[in-house]
């Protein structure tokens, strides 16, 4: 695999005097000299410290580059990078939209990012663009993870090996054309929207849970306010409702809609977001009930309405363009992809979002406040009435496990 690493040509120090550099030079030289501890002496050897990454060879390069990065950080900015604060973060859908923006932000903050994308080509492309756009303190690890294929998800879980994951961001998603009458399906037969937005992520989280940091790991789910029929967006058109899960229960993988009704593209998206919120709440309860996983938190959030990405690529292009202009420039209720990415990054790493089973949301147009919105406009909010049905959440998770097949978790 091609793994992108540090590119010091992107460092652009400003306001650094010669005196400041000379004052920090001894520390810089000391860190550089310590690099030899990780170099092979005559024959290959294992690093002396145990690093939670994919391969020994990658471990050695990562240790060398991390040491030099810390030294350069201190030399140029007077603040050495803390190895303890570096997190390994998996982001699905990291090649576009808020997933890409979050990956850029988190990479710039010095974290290791696993770019889990529909194809390796898309993942490599994202790595290239992030490498050119950010301070290269982190590792970018492109890996294929096609959420429309359980086989691809299993392969992804296998390929990352014994990597310790600090944060799992279940972010990828799609919305089909609301006018479509013909149902589209995943490789395993699931209705495509619920299959990718929910079932693929559900299965991925099951496979990766043994790799997640048991002390303070996080699972972050990108949901949406449209899961709630009483929200402005959720009340337009067909509203979200899973009914008694008849579609899941009776039709198995070949369901059209979770509630057993005939296919409707608009409702399928809203249902998938309702599934996201129900799943997050039920997952948190199960994590807390097990001594080995009670340190892991699971939370969901809504990034708001974001029209300027390829998320609406399946919609009527004329409608999408007009809707985007109205929502962004006239009604001013749309958010920017950059702010959506900041929201995901905030959920992934902020101490303020280290909560249990909560749902975060903000009023429309909150991106105008930038990061100042976090903890104020963007905060814990109520979920829909149906999303509070714990019995339905428990039942749904049981059916979903049967639908997706064997997994590694036994709560």
């Amino acid at each position: 695999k091609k793994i992108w690493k540090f590119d010091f040509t992107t460092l652009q120090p400003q306001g650094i005097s010669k005196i400041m550099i000379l004052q920090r030079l001894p520390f810089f030289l000391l860190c550089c000299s310590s690099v030899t501890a990780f170099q092979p002496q005559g024959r290959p050897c294992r690093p002396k410290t145990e690093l939670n990454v994919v391969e020994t060879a990658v471990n050695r390069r990562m240790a060398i580059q991390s040491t030099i990065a810390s030294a350069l950080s201190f030399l140029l900015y007077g603040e050495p990078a803390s190895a303890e604060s570096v997190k390994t973060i998996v982001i699905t859908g990291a090649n576009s939209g808020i997933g890409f923006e979050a990956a850029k932000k988190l990479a710039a903050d010095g974290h290791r990012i696993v770019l889990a994308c529909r194809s390796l080509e898309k993942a490599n492309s994202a790595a290239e663009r992030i490498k050119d756009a950010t301070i290269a303190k982190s590792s970018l690890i492109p890996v294929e993870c096609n959420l429309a294929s359980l086989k691809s998800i299993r392969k992804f879980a296998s390929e990352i090996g014994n990597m310790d994951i600090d944060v799992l961001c279940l972010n990828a998603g799609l919305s089909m054309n609301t006018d479509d009458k013909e149902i589209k399906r995943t490789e395993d037969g699931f209705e495509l929207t619920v299959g990718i937005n929910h079932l693929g992520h559900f299965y991925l989280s099951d496979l990766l849970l043994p790799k997640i940091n048991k002390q303070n790991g996080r699972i972050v789910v990108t949901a949406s306010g449209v899961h709630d029929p009483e929200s402005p967006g959720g009340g337009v058109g067909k509203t979200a409702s899973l009914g008694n899960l008849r579609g899941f229960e009776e039709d198995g993988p070949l369901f059209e809609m979770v509630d057993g009704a005939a296919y409707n593209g608009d409702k399928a998206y809203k249902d998938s977001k309702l599934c996201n919120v129900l799943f997050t709440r039920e997952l948190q309860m199960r994590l807390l009930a097990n001594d080995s996983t009670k340190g892991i938190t699971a939370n969901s959030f809504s990034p708001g309405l974001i029209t300027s990405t390829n998320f609406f690529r399946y919609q009527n292009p004329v409608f999408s363009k007009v809707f985007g202009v109205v929502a962004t420039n006239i009604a001013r209720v749309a958010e920017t992809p950059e702010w959506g990415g900041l929201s995901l990054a905030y959920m992934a790493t902020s101490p303020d979002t280290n909560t249990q089973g909560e749902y975060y949301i903000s009023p429309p147009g909150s991106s105008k406040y930038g990061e100042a919105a976090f903890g104020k406009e963007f905060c814990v909010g109520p979920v829909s009435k149906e999303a509070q049905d714990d019995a339905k959440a428990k039942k749904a998770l049981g059916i979903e496990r049967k639908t997706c097949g064997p997994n590694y978790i036994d709560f």
Side-chain angles (χ1 to χ4, degrees):
K1 306 178 186 69
K2 192 170 185 180
I3 301 177
W4 292 111
K5 300 296 180 184
F6 297 95
D7 179 2
F8 297 116
T9 61
T10 60
L11 287 173
Q12 297 179 352
Q14 296 179 357
I16 305 297
S17 69
K18 293 180 179 178
I19 294 176
M20 292 169 65
I21 292 178
L22 287 173
Q23 288 173 337
R24 297 163 188 163
L25 188 58
F27 173 82
F28 172 71
L29 295 175
L30 177 63
C31 286
C32 288
S33 66
S34 69
V35 165
T36 58
F38 297 100
Q39 295 280 32
Q41 302 296 326
R43 62 183 177 83
C45 63
R46 295 183 64 82
K48 293 181 180 179
T49 52
E50 183 178 346
L51 300 175
N52 297 317
V53 284
V54 183
E55 307 170 7
T56 301
V58 174
N59 291 355
R60 185 163 53 249
R61 293 196 301 272
M62 193 175 282
I64 293 169
Q65 293 161 337
S66 295
T67 303
I68 296 175
S70 296
L72 279 176
S73 176
F74 182 74
L75 178 67
L76 299 173
Y77 303 106
E79 187 174 329
S82 171
E84 294 179 358
S85 65
V86 173
K87 298 182 183 299
T88 298
I89 303 174
V90 176
I91 305 177
T92 65
N95 59 294
S96 64
I98 70 171
F100 177 75
E101 297 298 335
K104 278 203 305 184
K105 164 64 176 172
L106 293 166
D109 288 345
H111 300 294
R112 302 183 189 101
I113 313 299
V114 179
L115 305 164
C117 303
R118 188 166 75 250
S119 69
L120 186 58
E121 180 183 8
K122 290 181 179 297
N124 278 326
S125 172
E128 283 276 12
R129 288 178 285 140
I130 293 171
K131 183 175 73 77
D132 292 340
T134 185
I135 297 174
K137 293 180 181 177
S138 66
S139 301
L140 298 170
I141 307 174
V143 189
E144 178 179 318
C145 183
N146 182 357
L147 292 166
S149 165
L150 297 184
K151 179 180 178 180
S152 176
I153 296 170
R154 287 193 296 270
K155 182 181 177 184
F156 170 83
S158 175
E159 282 189 347
I160 64 173
N162 295 321
M163 177 187 292
D164 283 353
I165 298 170
D166 296 295
V167 186
L168 173 60
C169 297
L170 305 176
N171 165 74
L174 84 166
S175 175
M176 302 304 295
N177 191 323
T178 55
D179 293 331
D180 279 353
K181 304 301 180 184
E182 184 178 348
I183 188 171
K184 293 180 175 61
R185 296 191 176 275
T186 69
E187 181 180 292
D188 302 278
F190 311 146
E191 185 278 313
L192 191 62
T193 308
V194 173
I196 289 178
N197 296 2
H198 174 58
L199 290 176
H201 280 137
F202 158 77
Y203 189 60
L204 178 63
S205 67
D206 246 15
L207 297 182
L208 296 188
L209 190 54
K211 307 174 193 289
I212 296 177
N213 185 327
K214 300 300 185 294
Q215 302 302 314
N216 54 11
R218 297 189 185 193
I219 298 174
V220 178
V221 181
T222 302
S224 171
V226 300
H227 85 275
D228 185 356
E230 296 182 11
S231 70
V236 177
K238 289 271 189 178
T239 59
S241 175
L242 307 184
N244 62 358
L245 307 173
R246 183 168 61 87
F248 267 174
E249 202 162 29
E250 295 182 3
D251 300 327
L254 299 179
F255 69 91
E256 287 197 14
M257 299 291 288
V258 178
D259 62 0
Y263 175 71
N264 179 280
D266 179 34
K267 185 176 185 298
Y269 176 74
K270 293 170 182 171
D271 284 355
S272 74
K273 297 293 108 178
L274 176 55
C275 287
N276 288 159
V277 178
L278 276 169
F279 164 68
T280 305
R281 289 165 57 87
E282 175 64 15
L283 175 61
Q284 184 66 82
M285 287 191 285
R286 296 193 180 210
L287 292 170
L288 289 172
N290 190 311
D291 286 340
S292 67
T293 58
K294 63 183 180 181
I296 302 173
T297 63
N299 294 283
S300 62
F301 79 105
S302 170
L305 173 63
I306 300 176
T307 61
S308 55
T309 68
N310 68 347
F311 179 76
F312 293 102
R313 60 189 179 275
Y314 294 107
Q315 304 295 338
N316 180 295
V318 175
F319 167 80
S320 295
K321 187 171 183 178
V322 172
F323 178 71
V325 170
V326 172
T328 303
N329 301 322
I330 300 176
R332 299 187 183 279
V333 295
E335 316 297 355
T336 65
E338 293 78 12
W339 190 80
L342 289 176
S343 301
L344 178 52
Y346 176 71
M347 293 296 300
T349 60
S350 173
D352 297 338
T353 55
N354 190 29
T355 51
Q356 297 175 331
E358 298 289 5
Y359 168 69
Y360 289 73
I361 194 168
S362 59
S366 291
S367 60
K368 64 177 175 286
Y369 301 113
E371 293 186 65
F374 301 139
K376 296 179 181 178
E377 288 80 12
F378 185 87
C379 59
V380 173
V383 299
S384 72
K385 293 174 182 176
E386 189 169 353
Q388 299 173 43
D389 189 336
D390 294 338
K392 180 176 290 188
K394 183 176 181 179
K395 179 181 178 182
L397 191 143
I399 297 172
E400 289 157 1
R401 283 192 167 167
K402 293 178 181 178
T403 302
C404 292
N407 55 77
Y408 297 152
I409 309 307
D410 183 17
F411 286 99

